[in-house]
Amino acid sequence: MYKIWLMTSANVAKNFKDINNINCPTCGRKTLDYLYIGDKKTKIGYLQVWCHHCSNGIHISRVKIPEGAKMLSFDTEKDLDEIVPRYNHITP
């Protein structure tokens, strides 16, 4: 399942503007969401992708943040737990 989620996260990274057309690898619904957290200058950070329906998701480290993608800076004062729901992290 991890490899499928990894491929899905790559698809989200390439097609984040069209995320509503990407199926969750676990439940098959089109209820995925994502958020990049990283450095605003270097555009390097990590990506979280999760499903609002089945509460599964993945966390990918050391990614390039695409221009125009939803992102929070490492130095934000926002509480990440208020933005990203708790989800079951799919691991290798």
Side-chain angles (χ1 to χ4, degrees):
M1 183 56 65
Y2 177 76
K3 287 183 182 180
I4 297 169
W5 268 96
L6 199 57
M7 291 186 316
T8 300
S9 68
N11 190 16
V12 168
K14 290 178 188 169
N15 301 295
F16 62 87
K17 292 180 182 177
D18 204 25
I19 193 168
N20 293 330
N21 291 318
I22 301 172
N23 293 22
C24 170
T26 301
C27 71
R29 297 198 181 201
K30 293 182 180 180
T31 53
L32 291 179
D33 205 349
Y34 78 95
L35 183 65
Y36 286 93
I37 298 92
D39 184 278
K40 285 184 178 181
K41 290 181 183 177
T42 65
K43 295 286 192 176
I44 300 293
Y46 64 93
L47 169 64
Q48 293 192 65
V49 178
W50 66 92
C51 177
H52 285 288
H53 179 74
C54 69
S55 298
N56 285 297
I58 192 168
H59 171 119
I60 309 295
S61 299
R62 287 291 292 165
V63 298
K64 182 78 173 159
I65 301 169
E67 195 63 42
K70 290 190 297 186
M71 134 176 224
L72 282 179
S73 173
F74 281 137
D75 60 0
T76 188
E77 293 187 17
K78 293 182 181 180
D79 185 0
L80 195 56
D81 288 337
E82 292 178 14
I83 300 166
V84 178
R86 293 192 186 273
Y87 61 85
N88 176 41
H89 290 262
I90 304 298
T91 57

